[in-house]
C-alpha cells in the first residue's frame, strides 16, 4: 500500500531519525534531557546534523536553555529558517525551532485551543527549512495531549523513522504518570527507544560524588517490568542547573562550551552511545 505524500512528509523526506522525547508529568527535566540529547548527538560526529524542535507551545523553554533567547525566525523563499545553535561554525549543524522565537516578548503567554496548536505544529514540521538531518529531536509537553496527537497524525507517513524516549524521575508519582506515557506509545504503535531516569541522585558540586539523597532505581525497575530498554540514570547536577539558568545572554556557543564540563554531559554521552550501539538509532 502506497502512503500518500503530505507537505510534512515532503519537508522531512531528508530526515533519517525522528526522536520524540516525552514524559507523563511536568517537572521531570524532559526539556533539559531533550537539549542535552541534541547536544550529544551533534558532538558525536563532525558531520552529523541535528534538529531540535520544541512543541511545548504554552511553556517553551528551549530558547533560554540553549542561550538563544531573543533570537527571531526569518522567512525565506523556501520557508522559515531555523535558529542555529552553532551558527559560528563553518557549516551549522544544530537547527532549533520553538514558538519562543516567534513571541514579541518572552514573557507573553500562549493561550490557544487545540485547533490552533495543531496548525502551529503542522507549520513547524512542514514550513521550517530543516534540510538534511540525521536526527530531529522533538521536545513535547508533559502528558498525552493535543500536541502528541497532532504530532502522530502529521508524522504518520514517516512512521518507520519515528521513535520515543520516555523521561521520568524515580518517585512513585512520576513513575505512575510515566506508565500512562508508555501506554500512549503502545496505543499509537510508537516504538520506544528506552527510558531515562532523571534526577536520580545528587552530584556534589565540590567532589563530584553522586549521593542518593532521593529515591533511585524506580525507572530501571519499571523499564525491566515493562520490557523496554533502560538507557541510564541522570543525577541532579548543580553544575548543569547553573549553566542552563545562566544561559540568557551567554549565547549558544558559551552554553555548549560550559555544558561539556558538567557531570551531566558525561552521562548523556554514555546514553547516546547506548542508543547508537543498540542498532535502533545509527
Amino acid at each position: 500500500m502506497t502512503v500518500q505524500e503530505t507537505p510534512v512528509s515532503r519537508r522531512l523526506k531528508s530526515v533519517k531519525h525522528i526522536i520524540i522525547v516525552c514524559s507523563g508529568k511536568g517537572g521531570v527535566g524532559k526539556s533539559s534531557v531533550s537539549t542535552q540529547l541534541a547536544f550529544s548527538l551533534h558532538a558525536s560526529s563532525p558531520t552529523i546534523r541535528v534538529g531540535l524542535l520544541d512543541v511545548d507551545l504554552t511553556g517553551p523553554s528551549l530558547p533560554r536553555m540553549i542561550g538563544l533567547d531573543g533570537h527571531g525566525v526569518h522567512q525565506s523563499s523556501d520557508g522559515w529558517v531555523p535558529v542555529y545553535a552553532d551558527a559560528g561554525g563553518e557549516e551549522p549543524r544544530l537547527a532549533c525551532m520553538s514558538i519562543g522565537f516567534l513571541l514579541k516578548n518572552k514573557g507573553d503567554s500562549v493561550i490557544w485551543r487545540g485547533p490552533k496548536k495543531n496548525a502551529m505544529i503542522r507549520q513547524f514540521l512542514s514550513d521550517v527549512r530543516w534540510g538534511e538531518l540525521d536526527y530531529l529531536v522533538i521536545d513535547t509537553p508533559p502528558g498525552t495531549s493535543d500536541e502528541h496527537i497532532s504530532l502522530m497524525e502529521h508524522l504518520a507517513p514517516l512512521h518507520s523513522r519515528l521513535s520515543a524516549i520516555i523521561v521520568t524521575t524515580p518517585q512513585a508519582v512520576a513513575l505512575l504518570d510515566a506508565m500512562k506515557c508508555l501506554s500512549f506509545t503502545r496505543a499509537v504503535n510508537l516504538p520506544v527507544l528506552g527510558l531515562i531516569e532523571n534526577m536520580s541522585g545528587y552530584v556534589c558540586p565540590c567532589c563530584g560524588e553522586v549521593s542518593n539523597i532521593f529515591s533511585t532505581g524506580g525507572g530501571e525497575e519499571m523499564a525491566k517490568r515493562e520490557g523496554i530498554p533502560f538507557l541510564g540514570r541522570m543525577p541532579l547536577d548543580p553544575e548543569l542547573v547553573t549553566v542552563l539558568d545562566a544561559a540568557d545572554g551567554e549565547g549558544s556557543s558559551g552554553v555548549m562550551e560550559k555544558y561539556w564540563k558538567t557531570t551531566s554531559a558525561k552521562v548523556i554521552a554514555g546514553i547516546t552511545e547506548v542508543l547508537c550501539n543498540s542498532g535502533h538509532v545509527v
Side-chain angles (χ1 to χ4, degrees):
M1 180 179 177
T2 303
V3 178
Q4 185 176 2
E5 192 176 52
T6 66
V8 171
S9 65
R10 282 194 296 270
R11 177 65 76 175
L12 301 181
K13 65 182 179 182
S14 297
V15 177
K16 296 178 182 177
H17 301 284
I18 301 172
I19 303 174
I20 299 173
V21 182
C22 51
S23 68
K25 70 186 298 293
V28 300
K30 172 184 49 53
S31 293
S32 71
V33 169
S34 299
T35 301
Q36 293 180 76
L37 180 61
F39 282 175
S40 187
L41 289 168
H42 172 265
S44 65
S45 167
T47 59
I48 281 181
R49 301 177 64 87
V50 181
L52 179 58
L53 172 58
D54 182 2
V55 298
D56 191 346
L57 302 178
T58 58
S61 55
L62 291 186
R64 164 96 190 205
M65 284 187 176
I66 55 184
L68 293 173
D69 229 354
H71 285 65
V73 173
H74 301 288
Q75 185 77 30
S76 75
S77 58
D78 191 31
W80 285 343
V81 180
V83 179
Y84 286 91
D86 56 344
E90 293 182 6
E91 184 182 358
R93 297 184 293 109
L94 181 50
C96 307
M97 178 57 70
S98 168
I99 197 170
F101 297 135
L102 305 175
L103 300 176
K104 290 183 179 179
N105 301 299
K106 61 183 178 181
D108 290 348
S109 59
V110 178
I111 308 172
W112 289 352
R113 292 185 182 274
K116 196 164 185 179
K117 289 181 179 181
N118 179 55
M120 187 78 261
I121 290 172
R122 184 178 65 248
Q123 279 193 278
F124 279 158
L125 296 171
S126 64
D127 293 356
V128 175
R129 199 180 67 186
W130 291 110
E132 293 188 8
L133 294 178
D134 293 282
Y135 304 97
L136 176 60
V137 178
I138 303 180
D139 180 36
T140 65
T144 52
S145 53
D146 291 330
E147 290 88 340
H148 302 81
I149 297 170
S150 294
L151 272 176
M152 294 310 298
E153 288 177 348
H154 295 311
L155 295 173
L158 304 167
H159 188 271
S160 63
R161 306 181 210 172
L162 300 183
S163 56
I165 289 176
I166 297 174
V167 180
T168 186
T169 54
Q171 290 77 23
V173 173
L175 291 169
L176 181 63
D177 287 332
M179 275 299 305
K180 297 174 183 176
C181 188
L182 178 59
S183 175
F184 171 81
T185 64
R186 289 170 172 169
V188 298
N189 195 28
L190 176 62
V192 176
L193 291 174
L195 181 143
I196 292 176
E197 183 178 297
N198 197 26
M199 304 182 192
S200 181
Y202 172 79
V203 179
C204 175
C206 298
C207 66
E209 182 179 347
V210 178
S211 303
N212 293 323
I213 59 174
F214 306 116
S215 61
T216 185
E220 185 173 9
E221 290 176 10
M222 173 186 156
K224 184 177 180 180
R225 183 178 65 248
E226 296 300 324
I228 60 175
F230 180 67
L231 298 178
R233 296 187 181 92
M234 297 191 66
L236 194 61
D237 184 357
E239 289 181 323
L240 175 67
V241 174
T242 300
V243 169
L244 298 184
D245 275 357
D248 190 17
E250 282 281 336
S252 53
S253 59
V255 171
M256 294 174 76
E257 182 181 350
K258 291 182 178 180
Y259 168 70
W260 288 114
K261 299 176 183 178
T262 67
T263 298
S264 294
K266 300 179 181 68
V267 176
I268 200 71
I271 290 175
T272 303
E273 186 176 357
V274 169
L275 280 173
C276 294
N277 290 340
S278 69
H280 298 294
V281 175
V282 294

